[in-house]
Amino acid sequence: MKLKELESCLQQVDGFEEPKILLEQYPTSPHIAGCMLYTIHNTFDDIQNKLVADLGCGCGVLSIGASVLDAGY
């Protein structure tokens, strides 16, 4: 999958409507998430069929992107 395709998929993920700064709800932009995941997947071969944990307090864009790139779990 190309970076632009991944970013396009991630742009469909709903973000926070009213993020709460005190809860540190910072959205990860589709561009940043796409670049991170694309690099991890293509440079380090560390997503496909791997166990991926998104332990942030965001809207799950990293776990969704990992799933798109065929993460195992």
Side-chain angles (χ1 to χ4, degrees), residues 1-3 6 33-43 47 69:
M1 172 175 282
K2 295 183 179 196
L3 176 57
L6 180 59
C35 286
M36 287 173 45
L37 292 166
Y38 185 83
T39 300
I40 293 166
H41 179 65
N42 290 306
T43 303
I47 291 183
L69 293 172

Side-chain angles (χ1 to χ4, degrees), residues 19-46:
K20 295 174 178 58
I21 301 302
L22 293 176
L23 297 178
E24 296 188 19
Q25 294 176 324
Y26 307 115
T28 304
S29 74
H31 175 71
I32 291 173
C35 286
M36 287 173 45
L37 292 166
Y38 185 83
T39 300
I40 293 166
H41 179 65
N42 290 306
T43 303
F44 302 105
D45 191 30
D46 232 8

Side-chain angles (χ1 to χ4, degrees), residues 13-20 23-28 57-60:
V13 177
D14 290 336
F16 295 109
E17 295 207 7
E18 294 181 31
K20 295 174 178 58
L23 297 178
E24 296 188 19
Q25 294 176 324
Y26 307 115
T28 304
C57 55
C59 53

